[in-house]
mmCIF file of all heavy atoms in Angstrom:
data_model
loop_
_atom_site.group_PDB
_atom_site.id
_atom_site.type_symbol
_atom_site.label_atom_id
_atom_site.label_comp_id
_atom_site.label_asym_id
_atom_site.label_seq_id
_atom_site.Cartn_x
_atom_site.Cartn_y
_atom_site.Cartn_z
ATOM 1 N N ILE A 446 66.930 228.670 1.738
ATOM 2 C CA ILE A 446 66.217 229.918 1.816
ATOM 3 C C ILE A 446 66.647 230.701 3.097
ATOM 4 O O ILE A 446 66.838 231.894 3.058
ATOM 5 C CB ILE A 446 64.648 229.701 1.867
ATOM 6 C CG1 ILE A 446 64.190 229.174 0.525
ATOM 7 C CG2 ILE A 446 63.930 230.957 2.175
ATOM 8 C CD1 ILE A 446 62.770 228.751 0.402
ATOM 9 N N GLN A 447 66.779 229.981 4.187
ATOM 10 C CA GLN A 447 67.182 230.621 5.466
ATOM 11 C C GLN A 447 68.614 231.190 5.228
ATOM 12 O O GLN A 447 68.883 232.342 5.686
ATOM 13 C CB GLN A 447 67.270 229.612 6.578
ATOM 14 C CG GLN A 447 65.859 229.155 7.112
ATOM 15 C CD GLN A 447 66.001 228.047 8.117
ATOM 16 O OE1 GLN A 447 67.064 227.434 8.273
ATOM 17 N NE2 GLN A 447 64.882 227.880 8.844
ATOM 18 N N PHE A 448 69.454 230.540 4.529
ATOM 19 C CA PHE A 448 70.823 231.063 4.329
ATOM 20 C C PHE A 448 70.771 232.316 3.544
ATOM 21 O O PHE A 448 71.417 233.339 3.914
ATOM 22 C CB PHE A 448 71.631 229.989 3.578
ATOM 23 C CG PHE A 448 72.983 230.510 3.145
ATOM 24 C CD1 PHE A 448 74.043 230.467 4.047
ATOM 25 C CD2 PHE A 448 73.173 230.976 1.847
ATOM 26 C CE1 PHE A 448 75.309 230.967 3.642
ATOM 27 C CE2 PHE A 448 74.444 231.502 1.507
ATOM 28 C CZ PHE A 448 75.509 231.446 2.357
ATOM 29 N N ARG A 449 70.088 232.366 2.410
ATOM 30 C CA ARG A 449 70.075 233.597 1.538
ATOM 31 C C ARG A 449 69.336 234.639 2.229
ATOM 32 O O ARG A 449 69.661 235.847 2.046
ATOM 33 C CB ARG A 449 69.479 233.245 0.244
ATOM 34 C CG ARG A 449 67.972 233.036 0.115
ATOM 35 C CD ARG A 449 67.612 232.359 -1.143
ATOM 36 N NE ARG A 449 66.148 232.407 -1.409
ATOM 37 C CZ ARG A 449 65.483 231.592 -2.185
ATOM 38 N NH1 ARG A 449 66.134 230.586 -2.758
ATOM 39 N NH2 ARG A 449 64.154 231.739 -2.375
ATOM 40 N N MET A 450 68.321 234.350 3.052
ATOM 41 C CA MET A 450 67.705 235.482 3.809
ATOM 42 C C MET A 450 68.639 236.132 4.768
ATOM 43 O O MET A 450 68.618 237.380 4.882
ATOM 44 C CB MET A 450 66.440 234.853 4.572
ATOM 45 C CG MET A 450 65.241 234.571 3.712
ATOM 46 S SD MET A 450 63.907 233.790 4.683
ATOM 47 C CE MET A 450 63.461 235.194 5.704
ATOM 48 N N GLN A 451 69.435 235.335 5.411
ATOM 49 C CA GLN A 451 70.416 235.932 6.339
ATOM 50 C C GLN A 451 71.429 236.773 5.649
ATOM 51 O O GLN A 451 71.881 237.868 6.130
ATOM 52 C CB GLN A 451 71.083 234.840 7.143
ATOM 53 C CG GLN A 451 70.215 234.083 8.104
ATOM 54 C CD GLN A 451 69.555 235.055 9.134
ATOM 55 O OE1 GLN A 451 70.201 235.918 9.668
ATOM 56 N NE2 GLN A 451 68.247 234.923 9.332
ATOM 57 N N LYS A 452 71.818 236.372 4.492
ATOM 58 C CA LYS A 452 72.774 237.244 3.640
ATOM 59 C C LYS A 452 72.112 238.588 3.297
ATOM 60 O O LYS A 452 72.797 239.587 3.337
ATOM 61 C CB LYS A 452 73.217 236.428 2.401
ATOM 62 C CG LYS A 452 74.129 235.325 2.685
ATOM 63 C CD LYS A 452 75.421 235.679 3.302
ATOM 64 C CE LYS A 452 76.297 234.533 3.536
ATOM 65 N NZ LYS A 452 77.541 234.867 4.293
ATOM 66 N N LYS A 453 70.908 238.470 2.837
ATOM 67 C CA LYS A 453 70.235 239.775 2.481
ATOM 68 C C LYS A 453 70.031 240.678 3.655
ATOM 69 O O LYS A 453 70.175 241.877 3.644
ATOM 70 C CB LYS A 453 68.837 239.377 1.793
ATOM 71 C CG LYS A 453 69.002 238.659 0.506
ATOM 72 C CD LYS A 453 67.617 238.131 0.040
ATOM 73 C CE LYS A 453 67.780 237.115 -0.996
ATOM 74 N NZ LYS A 453 66.532 236.462 -1.368
ATOM 75 N N SER A 454 69.617 240.036 4.801
ATOM 76 C CA SER A 454 69.437 240.799 5.983
ATOM 77 C C SER A 454 70.721 241.456 6.476
ATOM 78 O O SER A 454 70.718 242.616 6.918
ATOM 79 C CB SER A 454 68.951 239.959 7.173
ATOM 80 O OG SER A 454 67.613 239.367 6.842
ATOM 81 N N LEU A 455 71.824 240.754 6.327
ATOM 82 C CA LEU A 455 73.113 241.346 6.679
ATOM 83 C C LEU A 455 73.441 242.562 5.813
ATOM 84 O O LEU A 455 73.870 243.549 6.278
ATOM 85 C CB LEU A 455 74.173 240.271 6.482
ATOM 86 C CG LEU A 455 75.651 240.523 6.834
ATOM 87 C CD1 LEU A 455 76.390 239.277 7.206
ATOM 88 C CD2 LEU A 455 76.358 241.205 5.637
ATOM 89 N N ILE A 456 73.212 242.437 4.512
ATOM 90 C CA ILE A 456 73.482 243.501 3.615
ATOM 91 C C ILE A 456 72.608 244.757 3.984
ATOM 92 O O ILE A 456 73.134 245.880 4.073
ATOM 93 C CB ILE A 456 73.204 243.126 2.139
ATOM 94 C CG1 ILE A 456 74.182 242.068 1.698
ATOM 95 C CG2 ILE A 456 73.337 244.347 1.219
ATOM 96 C CD1 ILE A 456 73.850 241.449 0.341
ATOM 97 N N ILE A 457 71.402 244.509 4.289
ATOM 98 C CA ILE A 457 70.508 245.613 4.681
ATOM 99 C C ILE A 457 70.968 246.237 5.983
ATOM 100 O O ILE A 457 70.912 247.442 6.179
ATOM 101 C CB ILE A 457 69.069 245.109 4.821
ATOM 102 C CG1 ILE A 457 68.528 244.733 3.379
ATOM 103 C CG2 ILE A 457 68.123 246.133 5.467
ATOM 104 C CD1 ILE A 457 67.199 243.936 3.438
ATOM 105 N N ASP A 458 71.449 245.383 6.914
ATOM 106 C CA ASP A 458 71.939 245.975 8.192
ATOM 107 C C ASP A 458 73.174 246.810 8.034
ATOM 108 O O ASP A 458 73.324 247.862 8.678
ATOM 109 C CB ASP A 458 72.236 244.785 9.175
ATOM 110 C CG ASP A 458 71.006 244.103 9.699
ATOM 111 O OD1 ASP A 458 69.921 244.707 9.623
ATOM 112 O OD2 ASP A 458 71.156 242.988 10.196
ATOM 113 N N VAL A 459 74.078 246.427 7.122
ATOM 114 C CA VAL A 459 75.220 247.198 6.787
ATOM 115 C C VAL A 459 74.757 248.555 6.187
ATOM 116 O O VAL A 459 75.320 249.611 6.570
ATOM 117 C CB VAL A 459 76.215 246.477 5.792
ATOM 118 C CG1 VAL A 459 77.282 247.421 5.302
ATOM 119 C CG2 VAL A 459 76.769 245.297 6.500
ATOM 120 N N MET A 460 73.789 248.497 5.335
ATOM 121 C CA MET A 460 73.298 249.739 4.682
ATOM 122 C C MET A 460 72.733 250.686 5.753
ATOM 123 O O MET A 460 73.023 251.934 5.720
ATOM 124 C CB MET A 460 72.256 249.438 3.607
ATOM 125 C CG MET A 460 72.801 248.662 2.424
ATOM 126 S SD MET A 460 71.579 248.095 1.304
ATOM 127 C CE MET A 460 70.784 249.595 0.730
ATOM 128 N N ARG A 461 71.905 250.134 6.651
ATOM 129 C CA ARG A 461 71.315 250.964 7.688
ATOM 130 C C ARG A 461 72.379 251.595 8.610
ATOM 131 O O ARG A 461 72.268 252.789 8.965
ATOM 132 C CB ARG A 461 70.394 250.061 8.529
ATOM 133 C CG ARG A 461 69.097 249.786 7.817
ATOM 134 C CD ARG A 461 68.243 248.766 8.605
ATOM 135 N NE ARG A 461 66.933 248.497 7.966
ATOM 136 C CZ ARG A 461 66.192 247.528 8.301
ATOM 137 N NH1 ARG A 461 66.570 246.625 9.261
ATOM 138 N NH2 ARG A 461 64.978 247.363 7.656
ATOM 139 N N ASP A 462 73.325 250.790 9.043
ATOM 140 C CA ASP A 462 74.439 251.303 9.852
ATOM 141 C C ASP A 462 75.186 252.446 9.207
ATOM 142 O O ASP A 462 75.385 253.488 9.818
ATOM 143 C CB ASP A 462 75.413 250.148 10.210
ATOM 144 C CG ASP A 462 76.383 250.581 11.292
ATOM 145 O OD1 ASP A 462 77.160 251.554 11.108
ATOM 146 O OD2 ASP A 462 76.449 249.863 12.342
ATOM 147 N N LEU A 463 75.531 252.259 7.941
ATOM 148 C CA LEU A 463 76.309 253.254 7.212
ATOM 149 C C LEU A 463 75.461 254.469 6.927
ATOM 150 O O LEU A 463 75.900 255.615 6.948
ATOM 151 C CB LEU A 463 76.857 252.735 5.961
ATOM 152 C CG LEU A 463 77.932 251.597 6.113
ATOM 153 C CD1 LEU A 463 78.428 251.129 4.762
ATOM 154 C CD2 LEU A 463 79.149 252.153 6.931
#
Side-chain angles (χ1 to χ4, degrees):
I446 293 174
Q447 288 174 344
F448 173 83
R449 73 195 194 205
M450 286 177 67
Q451 291 304 313
K452 290 297 181 186
K453 296 170 198 173
S454 297
L455 181 152
I456 295 171
I457 293 169
D458 288 343
V459 171
M460 292 171 65
R461 286 173 176 164
D462 189 302
L463 294 179

